Amino acid sequence: MSKRIRIDKLLAHMGLGTRSEIKKAVKLGKVAVNGAVVKDSGLIVDPELAVVAFDGDPVVYRDVVYFMLNKPQGVISATEDGRERTVIDLLEQQDRLREPFPVGRLDKDTVGLLLLTNDGQLAHELLSPRKHVAKTYEALVQGEVGDADKQQFASGVTLDDGYVTMPAELRILGSEQQEEDLLSRISLTIMEGKFHQVKRMFEAVGKKVVYLKRVSMGPLMLDESLPEGSYRELTDDEVELLRTHRRASE
Ligand code: URA
């Protein structure tokens, strides 16, 4: 199927700059299509067929896609599974065809922000332990979470396997009574992503997480207007934020 898009959009899509940077590059004569310098950044091209060069270098088109999913409980963060429903099963057929995969994992019972993409490079960088991408979670925790926990999380806690966590920021948002239980509502920002990390950090201080939701990952915030189980494409601004974040952490 042939699709046609503006050359500035195509180049921004491939990560060569923001739309306004691309417009400037076009004005400077840095963009060529099929061997001819482009004069109009609104030029329509077929990305599958056009031979595009930016600053003299060929631009190889890839159909990258970025989806924000508000993950519901009960589905696993994998592309396929013989028994369980996966986050990919929540996508429409036409979106599944673009072969996105989840960037990292949320537990089956965790809800909230999950990025799905087919951009392996970006996914790799967001997940790299060296990049320390901040992830913020909101949780309900059994019992009273207090200042002692805040301090422990700020200095690092020892998990069940002996791993000492990096400093993490715990904020206490309030408390609520659920039947017999007092639950603390908290937010926790961690800079790493060990297996079941948030639940295990609370276990390390003798407490149990009963509800967990991710609300941000790096510069990307969960769109609270997305009902659980729904998803949408990232906006151009959100993609740009992710790419800027990547450049800043290089
Ligand atoms: N920490 C957890 O314990 N579970 C998640 O799903 C994410 C972070």
Side-chain angles (χ1 to χ4, degrees):
M1 191 180 61
S2 108
K3 51 177 177 182
R4 298 166 62 74
I5 58 173
R6 291 170 59 113
I7 186 69
D8 55 355
K9 182 139 202 229
L10 183 151
L11 290 168
H13 188 67
M14 301 317 303
L16 288 154
T18 59
R19 288 279 277 277
S20 62
E21 284 165 350
I22 306 279
K23 283 198 174 92
K24 268 188 214 142
V26 167
K27 277 204 184 114
L28 293 171
K30 290 186 173 183
V31 177
V33 170
N34 300 331
V37 171
V38 174
K39 300 217 166 52
D40 172 11
S41 51
L43 178 75
I44 304 288
V45 296
D46 180 337
E48 313 275 357
L49 300 178
V51 178
V52 180
F54 185 84
D55 231 354
D57 295 324
V59 176
V60 180
Y61 178 73
R62 281 184 308 133
D63 184 19
V64 283
V65 69
Y66 305 91
F67 296 120
M68 173 188 296
L69 168 70
N70 187 354
K71 179 190 169 298
Q73 289 192 335
V75 294
I76 61 167
S77 303
T79 45
E80 48 183 64
D81 189 273
R83 289 177 307 140
E84 308 262 20
R85 257 176 27 112
T86 74
V87 288
I88 301 299
D89 295 328
L90 299 173
L91 304 183
E92 289 178 23
Q93 171 68 4
Q94 80 230 34
D95 294 331
R96 253 181 271 156
L97 289 174
R98 297 162 91 181
E99 302 189 324
F101 55 86
V103 179
R105 280 162 192 256
L106 292 179
D107 296 338
K108 188 173 167 185
D109 61 354
T110 300
V111 300
L113 176 64
L114 190 63
L115 175 64
L116 304 168
T117 183
N118 55 8
D119 181 344
Q121 183 68 24
L122 188 98
H124 176 75
E125 287 169 20
L126 282 171
L127 295 174
S128 163
R130 286 183 300 107
K131 302 271 176 172
H132 305 309
V133 173
K135 283 149 292 234
T136 298
Y137 295 86
E138 288 179 3
L140 287 174
V141 181
Q142 256 168 2
E144 196 166 338
V145 177
D147 285 345
D149 301 307
K150 251 189 190 175
Q151 278 155 22
Q152 287 214 55
F153 281 11
S155 52
V157 291
T158 307
L159 302 184
D160 46 10
D161 58 0
Y163 178 79
V164 180
T165 57
M166 287 175 59
E169 190 188 350
L170 175 62
R171 287 188 301 140
I172 299 159
L173 306 176
S175 62
E176 54 192 76
Q177 194 72 31
Q178 252 183 34
E179 293 166 8
E180 302 291 277
D181 284 330
L182 174 80
L183 301 178
S184 299
R185 219 158 25 83
I186 62 93
S187 110
L188 179 64
T189 302
I190 58 177
M191 311 294 282
E192 50 196 343
K194 301 282 171 209
F195 188 56
H196 299 326
Q197 180 157 345
V198 175
K199 292 174 186 164
R200 287 163 73 215
M201 285 176 74
F202 278 98
E203 274 162 26
V205 295
K207 299 191 168 95
K208 187 170 159 51
V209 171
V210 294
Y211 169 85
L212 187 59
K213 171 181 180 179
R214 180 155 65 191
V215 293
S216 71
M217 182 178 196
L220 198 60
M221 314 265 284
L222 176 65
D223 176 348
E224 296 281 356
S225 72
L226 270 182
E228 281 177 19
S230 304
Y231 70 101
R232 64 160 171 77
E233 271 203 61
L234 293 195
T235 62
D236 289 349
D237 284 350
E238 286 167 333
V239 173
E240 187 49 32
L241 267 179
L242 281 179
R243 289 178 173 157
T244 312
H245 182 264
R246 160 161 71 176
R247 287 198 285 270
S249 66
E250 266 167 10

